[in-house]
Amino acid sequence: MTKKIAIIGASGYTGAELIRLIATHPGMEIAALAANSKAGQSMASVYPHLRHLGLPDLVTVDQIDFDQIDLAFCALPHKTSQEVIRDLPKTLKIVDLSADFRLRDPAEYEKWYGNAHAAAEMQGEAVYGLTEFYRTEIAAARLVAGTGCNAATGQFTIRPLIEAGVIDLDEIILDMKCAVSGAGRSLKENLLHAELSEGYNAYAVGGTHRHLGEFDQEFSKLAGRDVKVQFTPHLMPANRGILCTAYLKGEAQAIHAALQNAYADEPFIVVLPFGETPSTHHIRGSNFVHIGVTGDRIGGRAIVVSALDNLCKGSSGQAIQNANLMLGLPETEGLMMAPLFP
Amino acid sequence: MTKKIAIIGASGYTGAELIRLIATHPGMEIAALAANSKAGQSMASVYPHLRHLGLPDLVTVDQIDFDQIDLAFCALPHKTSQEVIRDLPKTLKIVDLSADFRLRDPAEYEKWYGNAHAAAEMQGEAVYGLTEFYRTEIAAARLVAGTGCNAATGQFTIRPLIEAGVIDLDEIILDMKCAVSGAGRSLKENLLHAELSEGYNAYAVGGTHRHLGEFDQEFSKLAGRDVKVQFTPHLMPANRGILCTAYLKGEAQAIHAALQNAYADEPFIVVLPFGETPSTHHIRGSNFVHIGVTGDRIGGRAIVVSALDNLCKGSSGQAIQNANLMLGLPETEGLMMAPLFP
Amino acid sequence: MTKKIAIIGASGYTGAELIRLIATHPGMEIAALAANSKAGQSMASVYPHLRHLGLPDLVTVDQIDFDQIDLAFCALPHKTSQEVIRDLPKTLKIVDLSADFRLRDPAEYEKWYGNAHAAAEMQGEAVYGLTEFYRTEIAAARLVAGTGCNAATGQFTIRPLIEAGVIDLDEIILDMKCAVSGAGRSLKENLLHAELSEGYNAYAVGGTHRHLGEFDQEFSKLAGRDVKVQFTPHLMPANRGILCTAYLKGEAQAIHAALQNAYADEPFIVVLPFGETPSTHHIRGSNFVHIGVTGDRIGGRAIVVSALDNLCKGSSGQAIQNANLMLGLPETEGLMMAPLFP
Amino acid sequence: MTKKIAIIGASGYTGAELIRLIATHPGMEIAALAANSKAGQSMASVYPHLRHLGLPDLVTVDQIDFDQIDLAFCALPHKTSQEVIRDLPKTLKIVDLSADFRLRDPAEYEKWYGNAHAAAEMQGEAVYGLTEFYRTEIAAARLVAGTGCNAATGQFTIRPLIEAGVIDLDEIILDMKCAVSGAGRSLKENLLHAELSEGYNAYAVGGTHRHLGEFDQEFSKLAGRDVKVQFTPHLMPANRGILCTAYLKGEAQAIHAALQNAYADEPFIVVLPFGETPSTHHIRGSNFVHIGVTGDRIGGRAIVVSALDNLCKGSSGQAIQNANLMLGLPETEGLMMAPLFP
């Protein structure tokens, strides 16, 4: 019997991506779609590419009968998300795609997001949703916090290297090239086609991007000591994809071996042959991660390049993967579509 | 039991798109991939986005044991295709994606393609693969000729209007905006990113595009008289999609009604509410067609705009749809994925 | 001695384009820049690509001393423009880039723009700014109304054909492909990179685009009878450029001859050899117009394709060209830069 | 009196960019254009965007009468360039845009380019064409070697910091994002629009890009010791622009001060206020360089981001700037055009 799914915040890009994925997921069906600001509208008017699906019209959160729902995805902006989730039934399974339950420490949350958490008591309950590293906890969880898309990319690259002890923990640089859908359906001048196409720039330079909170929490816990990385995102004239170029100190072959070892049995994470490099072209629209390792001409240094689709594996695909675990469905169900190329 | 599929010409875009679709098709599996010029290479090296699929390496056509194959897709360039298909087993089910078997009349073929047909005796056998209009014949066919992508777009727009007798047959203008993947993986200056992005132009202006041969054949047959349309393609800075703006003489409401009536039960063809217009954004990566009708301020004139994905519904998706019919599988199997947006 | 220029509405795209052009114009210098909503800001913060120019900070219109100004460009939105221009000194030379003074008939203005004109008495005074056809009047004018960018493209294509009497006036179809900067720096979802790149669609279908008011006024006046064209704009994933594909009834060679004859001495308008077609790639960033003529396979029909840069020749370049005439400067001064390719 | 210019290799992108710049250069005129493989063709057919210029047809190098030429630009591929220049008159002033005379040491040339130099005796004569740092030598030179576009970008970023002694010379990482025109008009699959738009990837990872030869030569000479940087280029879905994100160890404020000090009087190099970051959008089509400095959250580390147009300041604009010096013209003549935005 298919699981009944509600999506709260269905009018944003991650909401639309959830619907795209569930459209061909044999174990899930969409029972309710909420978007308070667009309640009453049809999904066909908000996202015409979904018009063939016969979806329920958008409603407000209050209008959903959660007794009929097996799992809710919450795809709201951060801060709003915590306020909504706080008031949902305490027995409802929830995958939150916002930033609100990623950080376990209320002080860290406030430091990076600038406001006191409205549901601090739930921060401890939430399981960090990086599937490949929290599989058991996620399967048992009621509330799972989807990771940041950049945070996911960086962790797929670095976690096995910390675990294997093959890199210098004080010399980690993550230079990321991020497609624009990561900014959501926001009306800002720099996201206009006229101002973004054909050019690119760094932003949040110098260690100010909020996903650093996740890196700090996860890498430090894993290493058993403080780990602080450098991370610079760049806005790309492209709609989907994150490419992370990591500059590391360590032996490239050992780094490659550690990654191969860590991901040997993972269905979605592909470690390329040594010396090959991935492209965001080759993972677009899919749940796959491609990782490539190369040694630098300077001995003892390596470059690891990783690519994933920020909306899919970096957000909604990860959320489905987690929901599969929480609902007792096969982890890869509905997620094996090949990338769209060209 | 899944059907064993061979793809001949697997190194082009339509070949890669067939693999993308079959990757999640429950009733088909890929048994052989041929590409003579790249025989011996892995698909991962030719198309890294397919590397997770564990595909067979590329071989030459001669190396395929067709006794083990239920159906072959032929995704070769025209002229090469007829020479290869001529020599394939006469009992093999074949869906050809090239232009070689679209025209039934050898003289018409030679007029548009400039060479005598190398398998003229098979031109009569081939069924024209516009699924929605040749369903019965396709289900019974051994050899099906996939349509041109522009030819498909124009016919979805115009055929029901000819049948319903609601337009002036001497005043049909099809202005098409075509994404670049329609030109294939060809190394030409005007297809380079540096020369195509951020600009656009008409080409084959004045009634010289080869897909006119299909329009002439099909529209004239349908009307029972000669019908010649005007058709101007334009090369767009985009990778997938055809948008056809048809300028017609006829009553817009009658045109809309004729289209609604024709496509009421079609799973892939969506006629929009009167006055709405489609976008290629909303069908990308899918097998759907969106059609919109608007009346002009000048009475008795209508504009019908249609959109489809040239690589999918315009080519490889259509081919899978036809193969489903030929193999006794549900027609929509493997084809219900939602479009990729954004 | 260089002429002192004020730009009112300097924070929009046409304002920025005026500054780009004046930056290397030997006969003009920028004396004042107004943008009420951003008054007090530096141009470097509003348009960082102009930061090397040492421009004056933005002020309100009230803060400009127009006694020191030789000519003002008004690059405000329509409706706002008429209210501002109404209150400017009556001796000030003005080139208005908005829609407000393009239509001479107040009723026509109200029909297309939906509001009564706030300076209807000035509508008659304004000269229509299509330089190549109103040169003498513009040179003598105090107030010149810049044309719509689509209106300019269509008129360059059609006017000489009406004058030469070589086309059927009741069968003019203009299918235009318009880059997104024509929509200005507007924060709308469909103008976001994520929603525009890689796709395209028609809009204002059926004869509802406001530039039709200009076509009606100008073509009817020229023909001495009512002329109504069909015009469908399409939004392109590109930042600059309009390509107009005109479907006409008439002899192609006569049409080509009429265009060659009309533009033989024009510095900015290039009629291509018969059978060649232009591309927006080849006029981007310049003041040039390329026009190509081809006959259709159906006798007595022709396709004329034209290309110009909507922000330059379609708007700000045209405005500079007009200002040159009004100020007694050489008409081409500051406008001979070659297009940017690739 | 204007200087007579020949361009050898006029059919590539840097050749076309030279023509674009000379088109409005008051001190230069084009006397001859050579492109052996396209000799006999008109420039209008090779580059239609230049068709208004009335350029001479393409000829072979042999057909040029160099007695009538004041200066020749050589825009040929490397290896070809050295063979052609070797045989040109020894008194002819030449700006070479290829890689052939950038490296002074024949062994270094052979190491990076894989062949023995065909004009090794001229390697010593050539002056390295990074205008801002070799101004005096260039003004006196007969043969100037244009720099690599990435090499220019990295040196504008790093040279003043080496000179000021404010960074750790063993910890320099240059992560560059490079637009596709840097690859020239080459027919390669990965440069096709269908394969490049909407995605990006690293290439030449690990210290294998040839421009490292220039970095090694210049930085080591400047520092008086061996300096080896890490440099990873990335191919961007954009036509013009290089963005260099430099990860450095040093005090950010000192780094900013060193850059401001070095470039205070430079007409083309703009150091942004501390903490601001540049974008390739804001230098496109111009000869300007924008440089921004930010401190990292980790003390003692800084990120310096630089942007220039690879075809203009990174290649043909630099070449014109050098030619101005060699011909006794004002250095900025013909180069002050503002960037094209949007």
Side-chain angles (χ1 to χ4, degrees):
Chain A
M1 216 184 70
T2 58
K3 303 294 183 178
K4 301 268 190 295
I5 302 298
I7 299 173
I8 301 168
S11 64
Y13 289 153
T14 54
E17 180 75 351
L18 286 166
I19 298 172
R20 178 178 81 91
L21 295 170
I22 294 173
T24 49
H25 190 302
M28 296 185 184
E29 67 180 283
I30 291 170
L33 297 171
N36 284 4
S37 66
K38 302 199 175 179
Q41 297 185 30
S42 69
M43 276 307 288
S45 67
V46 176
Y47 283 114
H49 71 292
L50 301 173
R51 67 160 71 233
H52 65 285
L53 288 172
L55 294 166
D57 284 351
L58 291 166
V59 297
T60 62
V61 180
D62 294 345
Q63 292 175 293
I64 299 178
D65 176 2
F66 286 102
D67 290 347
Q68 309 300 318
I69 299 298
D70 292 301
L71 184 144
F73 294 101
C74 197
L76 294 165
H78 73 266
K79 194 159 184 300
T80 303
S81 195
Q82 62 194 242
E83 293 162 2
V84 168
I85 288 177
R86 184 187 53 194
D87 298 336
L88 292 178
K90 286 292 173 289
T91 54
L92 181 66
K93 293 187 188 211
I94 300 170
V95 178
D96 182 35
L97 284 78
S98 85
D100 279 0
F101 296 97
R102 295 170 186 166
L103 301 181
R104 282 180 288 272
D105 179 347
E108 281 295 301
Y109 175 83
E110 190 162 347
K111 169 182 149 192
W112 287 104
Y113 291 90
N115 59 284
H117 202 289
E121 70 287 358
M122 299 175 74
Q123 282 183 275
E125 176 191 1
V127 171
Y128 190 69
L130 197 70
T131 326
E132 284 74 6
F133 296 95
Y134 286 92
R135 209 167 247 130
T136 312
E137 296 89 332
I138 290 166
R142 186 189 76 84
L143 172 60
V144 168
T147 72
C149 52
N150 300 302
T153 315
Q155 289 182 70
F156 287 132
T157 311
I158 300 297
R159 288 186 77 112
L161 310 182
I162 296 178
E163 288 186 326
V166 293
I167 56 169
D168 183 337
L169 298 179
D170 296 317
E171 300 277 351
I172 300 172
I173 293 175
L174 304 175
D175 186 284
M176 293 206 203
K177 295 84 177 169
C178 310
V180 68
S181 63
R185 208 176 201 183
S186 326
L187 297 178
K188 296 180 186 163
E189 280 179 358
N190 70 324
L191 306 183
L192 292 173
H193 187 282
E195 314 225 353
L196 179 53
S197 94
E198 287 290 312
Y200 32 95
N201 59 277
Y203 65 98
V205 182
T208 63
H209 194 287
R210 286 161 166 173
H211 290 179
L212 280 164
E214 291 175 67
F215 286 135
D216 289 356
Q217 168 180 286
E218 294 297 313
F219 290 159
S220 298
K221 182 181 163 209
L222 199 58
R225 50 156 281 194
D226 258 22
V227 176
K228 287 213 179 318
V229 304
Q230 284 188 267
F231 159 45
T232 311
H234 298 73
L235 186 61
M236 291 288 110
N239 292 339
R240 285 174 178 250
I242 297 177
L243 191 82
C244 173
T245 309
Y247 295 92
L248 303 171
K249 294 196 175 167
E251 291 304 322
Q253 293 286 2
I255 286 170
H256 188 249
L259 289 163
Q260 277 193 314
N261 189 52
Y263 296 128
D265 297 325
E266 287 297 340
F268 294 119
I269 306 190
V270 182
V271 179
L272 307 185
F274 188 83
E276 293 190 17
T277 50
S279 169
T280 62
H281 288 104
H282 301 142
I283 47 75
R284 187 169 57 141
S286 83
N287 208 49
F288 295 99
V289 182
H290 287 187
I291 305 179
V293 180
T294 310
D296 193 70
R297 63 170 183 162
I298 303 176
R301 300 195 190 181
I303 298 105
V304 184
V305 186
S306 308
L308 57 69
D309 182 321
N310 58 301
L311 279 185
C312 194
K313 181 61 174 169
S315 185
S316 300
Q318 181 197 72
I320 300 279
Q321 197 177 344
N322 288 335
N324 282 342
L325 290 173
M326 295 163 76
L327 294 168
L329 301 171
E331 184 180 326
T332 62
E333 198 165 86
L335 292 172
M336 294 305 291
M337 62 284 168
L340 191 74
F341 177 90
Chain B
M1 216 185 68
T2 58
K3 302 294 184 179
K4 301 269 188 297
I5 302 297
I7 300 173
I8 301 168
S11 64
Y13 288 153
T14 55
E17 180 76 350
L18 285 167
I19 298 173
R20 178 178 81 91
L21 296 169
I22 294 173
T24 48
H25 190 302
M28 296 185 184
E29 68 181 283
I30 291 171
L33 297 171
N36 285 3
S37 66
K38 302 199 175 178
Q41 297 186 30
S42 70
M43 277 307 288
S45 67
V46 176
Y47 283 114
H49 71 291
L50 301 172
R51 67 161 71 232
H52 65 286
L53 288 172
L55 294 166
D57 284 350
L58 291 166
V59 297
T60 62
V61 180
D62 294 344
Q63 292 175 293
I64 300 178
D65 175 3
F66 286 102
D67 289 347
Q68 309 300 318
I69 300 297
D70 292 303
L71 184 142
F73 293 101
C74 197
L76 294 165
H78 73 267
K79 194 160 183 300
T80 302
S81 195
Q82 61 195 243
E83 294 162 2
V84 168
I85 288 176
R86 184 189 51 194
D87 298 337
L88 291 178
K90 286 291 173 292
T91 53
L92 180 67
K93 293 188 187 211
I94 300 170
V95 178
D96 182 34
L97 284 78
S98 85
D100 279 0
F101 297 97
R102 295 170 187 167
L103 301 180
R104 284 179 286 274
D105 179 347
E108 280 296 300
Y109 174 83
E110 189 163 346
K111 169 181 148 192
W112 288 104
Y113 291 90
N115 59 285
H117 202 290
E121 70 286 359
M122 299 175 74
Q123 281 183 275
E125 177 191 0
V127 171
Y128 190 68
L130 197 70
T131 326
E132 284 74 6
F133 297 95
Y134 287 91
R135 210 167 247 130
T136 312
E137 297 89 332
I138 290 166
R142 185 188 77 83
L143 172 59
V144 168
T147 72
C149 53
N150 300 301
T153 315
Q155 290 182 70
F156 287 131
T157 311
I158 300 297
R159 288 186 77 112
L161 310 181
I162 296 178
E163 287 187 326
V166 293
I167 56 169
D168 183 337
L169 298 179
D170 296 318
E171 301 278 349
I172 300 172
I173 293 174
L174 305 175
D175 185 284
M176 294 205 203
K177 294 85 177 169
C178 310
V180 69
S181 62
R185 208 177 200 183
S186 327
L187 297 178
K188 296 179 187 164
E189 281 179 358
N190 70 324
L191 307 183
L192 292 173
H193 187 281
E195 314 226 353
L196 180 54
S197 93
E198 289 289 312
Y200 33 95
N201 59 276
Y203 66 99
V205 182
T208 64
H209 194 286
R210 287 162 165 172
H211 290 179
L212 280 163
E214 292 175 65
F215 286 135
D216 289 357
Q217 169 181 285
E218 295 297 312
F219 291 159
S220 297
K221 182 184 163 206
L222 199 59
R225 49 155 282 195
D226 258 21
V227 176
K228 287 212 180 319
V229 304
Q230 285 188 267
F231 159 44
T232 311
H234 298 73
L235 185 61
M236 291 287 110
N239 292 339
R240 286 174 177 252
I242 297 177
L243 192 82
C244 174
T245 309
Y247 295 93
L248 303 170
K249 294 196 175 167
E251 291 305 321
Q253 292 285 2
I255 286 170
H256 189 249
L259 289 164
Q260 278 193 313
N261 189 51
Y263 296 127
D265 298 326
E266 288 298 340
F268 295 119
I269 306 189
V270 181
V271 179
L272 307 186
F274 187 84
E276 293 189 17
T277 50
S279 169
T280 62
H281 288 104
H282 300 142
I283 47 74
R284 187 169 57 141
S286 83
N287 208 49
F288 295 98
V289 183
H290 287 186
I291 306 179
V293 180
T294 310
D296 193 70
R297 62 171 184 163
I298 303 176
R301 299 194 191 181
I303 298 106
V304 184
V305 187
S306 308
L308 57 70
D309 181 321
N310 58 300
L311 280 185
C312 194
K313 182 62 174 169
S315 186
S316 301
Q318 180 197 73
I320 300 278
Q321 197 178 344
N322 288 335
N324 282 341
L325 290 172
M326 295 163 77
L327 294 168
L329 301 171
E331 184 180 328
T332 63
E333 198 166 86
L335 293 172
M336 294 305 291
M337 63 282 168
L340 191 74
F341 178 90
Chain C
M1 216 185 68
T2 59
K3 302 294 184 179
K4 300 270 189 297
I5 302 297
I7 300 173
I8 301 168
S11 64
Y13 289 153
T14 53
E17 181 76 349
L18 286 166
I19 298 172
R20 178 178 80 91
L21 296 170
I22 295 172
T24 48
H25 191 302
M28 296 186 184
E29 67 180 282
I30 291 170
L33 297 171
N36 284 4
S37 66
K38 302 199 174 179
Q41 297 186 30
S42 70
M43 276 308 287
S45 67
V46 176
Y47 283 115
H49 71 292
L50 301 173
R51 67 161 70 232
H52 65 286
L53 288 172
L55 294 165
D57 284 350
L58 291 165
V59 298
T60 62
V61 180
D62 294 344
Q63 292 175 292
I64 299 177
D65 175 3
F66 287 102
D67 289 347
Q68 309 300 318
I69 300 297
D70 291 301
L71 184 143
F73 293 101
C74 196
L76 294 165
H78 73 265
K79 194 158 184 300
T80 303
S81 195
Q82 62 195 241
E83 294 162 2
V84 168
I85 289 177
R86 183 189 52 196
D87 298 337
L88 291 178
K90 286 292 173 291
T91 54
L92 180 67
K93 293 188 187 209
I94 301 171
V95 177
D96 181 34
L97 284 78
S98 85
D100 279 359
F101 296 97
R102 294 170 187 167
L103 301 181
R104 282 179 288 273
D105 178 347
E108 281 295 300
Y109 175 83
E110 189 163 347
K111 168 181 149 192
W112 287 104
Y113 291 90
N115 59 285
H117 202 291
E121 70 287 358
M122 299 174 74
Q123 282 183 274
E125 176 191 2
V127 171
Y128 190 68
L130 197 70
T131 326
E132 283 73 6
F133 297 94
Y134 286 91
R135 209 167 246 130
T136 312
E137 297 89 332
I138 290 166
R142 185 188 76 83
L143 171 61
V144 168
T147 73
C149 53
N150 301 301
T153 315
Q155 289 181 72
F156 287 132
T157 312
I158 300 297
R159 289 185 76 113
L161 310 180
I162 296 178
E163 288 187 325
V166 292
I167 56 169
D168 183 338
L169 297 179
D170 296 317
E171 302 277 349
I172 299 172
I173 293 174
L174 305 175
D175 186 283
M176 293 205 203
K177 294 85 177 168
C178 310
V180 68
S181 63
R185 208 176 201 183
S186 325
L187 297 178
K188 295 180 187 164
E189 280 178 358
N190 70 323
L191 307 183
L192 291 173
H193 187 282
E195 314 225 353
L196 179 54
S197 94
E198 289 291 312
Y200 33 94
N201 59 276
Y203 65 98
V205 183
T208 63
H209 194 288
R210 286 160 167 174
H211 290 178
L212 280 163
E214 292 175 66
F215 286 135
D216 290 357
Q217 169 182 286
E218 294 297 312
F219 291 157
S220 297
K221 182 182 164 208
L222 200 58
R225 50 156 281 196
D226 258 21
V227 175
K228 287 214 179 318
V229 304
Q230 285 188 267
F231 159 45
T232 310
H234 298 73
L235 185 60
M236 292 288 110
N239 292 339
R240 285 174 179 252
I242 296 176
L243 191 82
C244 175
T245 309
Y247 295 93
L248 303 171
K249 294 195 176 168
E251 291 304 321
Q253 293 284 3
I255 287 170
H256 188 249
L259 288 163
Q260 277 193 314
N261 189 52
Y263 297 127
D265 297 326
E266 287 298 341
F268 294 120
I269 305 189
V270 181
V271 179
L272 307 185
F274 187 83
E276 292 189 18
T277 51
S279 169
T280 62
H281 288 105
H282 300 141
I283 47 73
R284 187 170 58 141
S286 84
N287 208 50
F288 295 98
V289 183
H290 286 186
I291 306 178
V293 180
T294 311
D296 193 70
R297 62 171 183 163
I298 304 175
R301 300 194 191 181
I303 298 105
V304 184
V305 186
S306 309
L308 56 69
D309 181 322
N310 58 300
L311 280 185
C312 193
K313 182 60 173 168
S315 186
S316 301
Q318 180 197 73
I320 299 279
Q321 197 178 344
N322 289 335
N324 282 341
L325 290 172
M326 295 163 78
L327 293 167
L329 301 171
E331 184 180 327
T332 62
E333 197 165 87
L335 292 172
M336 294 305 289
M337 62 284 167
L340 191 73
F341 178 90
Chain D
M1 215 185 70
T2 58
K3 303 294 183 177
K4 300 269 188 296
I5 303 296
I7 299 174
I8 302 168
S11 64
Y13 289 153
T14 54
E17 181 76 350
L18 286 167
I19 299 173
R20 178 179 80 91
L21 296 170
I22 295 173
T24 49
H25 190 302
M28 295 185 184
E29 68 179 282
I30 291 171
L33 297 171
N36 284 4
S37 67
K38 302 200 174 178
Q41 297 185 30
S42 70
M43 276 307 288
S45 67
V46 176
Y47 283 115
H49 71 290
L50 301 173
R51 66 161 72 233
H52 65 285
L53 288 172
L55 294 166
D57 284 350
L58 291 166
V59 297
T60 62
V61 180
D62 293 344
Q63 293 175 294
I64 300 178
D65 176 3
F66 287 102
D67 290 347
Q68 310 299 318
I69 300 298
D70 291 302
L71 184 144
F73 293 101
C74 197
L76 294 165
H78 73 265
K79 193 157 184 301
T80 303
S81 195
Q82 60 195 243
E83 293 162 1
V84 167
I85 288 176
R86 183 188 52 193
D87 297 336
L88 292 178
K90 287 293 173 290
T91 53
L92 181 67
K93 293 188 187 209
I94 300 171
V95 178
D96 182 33
L97 285 77
S98 85
D100 279 0
F101 297 97
R102 294 170 187 167
L103 301 181
R104 282 179 288 272
D105 179 347
E108 281 295 300
Y109 174 83
E110 190 163 346
K111 168 182 150 192
W112 287 103
Y113 291 90
N115 60 283
H117 202 290
E121 71 285 359
M122 300 174 74
Q123 281 183 275
E125 176 190 2
V127 171
Y128 190 68
L130 197 70
T131 327
E132 283 74 6
F133 296 95
Y134 286 91
R135 209 167 246 131
T136 312
E137 296 90 331
I138 290 166
R142 185 188 76 83
L143 171 61
V144 168
T147 73
C149 53
N150 301 302
T153 315
Q155 290 182 70
F156 287 133
T157 311
I158 300 297
R159 288 186 78 112
L161 310 181
I162 295 178
E163 289 187 324
V166 293
I167 56 169
D168 183 337
L169 298 180
D170 296 317
E171 301 277 350
I172 299 172
I173 293 174
L174 305 176
D175 186 284
M176 293 206 203
K177 294 85 178 169
C178 310
V180 68
S181 62
R185 208 176 201 183
S186 326
L187 297 178
K188 296 180 185 162
E189 280 178 359
N190 71 322
L191 307 183
L192 292 173
H193 188 282
E195 314 224 354
L196 179 53
S197 93
E198 288 290 312
Y200 33 94
N201 59 277
Y203 65 99
V205 182
T208 63
H209 194 288
R210 286 160 166 174
H211 290 179
L212 279 164
E214 292 175 65
F215 286 135
D216 290 356
Q217 168 181 288
E218 295 297 313
F219 290 159
S220 297
K221 181 181 163 208
L222 200 58
R225 51 156 280 197
D226 258 20
V227 175
K228 287 214 179 317
V229 304
Q230 285 188 268
F231 158 44
T232 311
H234 298 73
L235 185 61
M236 291 287 110
N239 292 340
R240 286 174 178 250
I242 297 177
L243 192 80
C244 173
T245 309
Y247 295 93
L248 303 171
K249 294 195 175 168
E251 290 304 321
Q253 293 285 3
I255 286 169
H256 189 249
L259 289 164
Q260 278 193 314
N261 189 51
Y263 297 127
D265 296 327
E266 287 297 340
F268 294 119
I269 305 189
V270 181
V271 179
L272 307 185
F274 187 84
E276 293 190 17
T277 50
S279 169
T280 62
H281 288 104
H282 300 141
I283 47 75
R284 187 168 58 140
S286 83
N287 208 49
F288 295 99
V289 183
H290 287 186
I291 305 178
V293 180
T294 310
D296 193 70
R297 62 170 183 162
I298 303 176
R301 299 194 190 181
I303 298 106
V304 184
V305 187
S306 308
L308 56 70
D309 181 321
N310 58 300
L311 279 185
C312 194
K313 182 60 174 170
S315 186
S316 301
Q318 181 197 71
I320 300 279
Q321 197 177 344
N322 289 334
N324 282 342
L325 290 173
M326 294 162 78
L327 294 167
L329 301 171
E331 183 180 328
T332 62
E333 197 166 88
L335 292 172
M336 295 304 291
M337 61 284 168
L340 191 74
F341 178 90

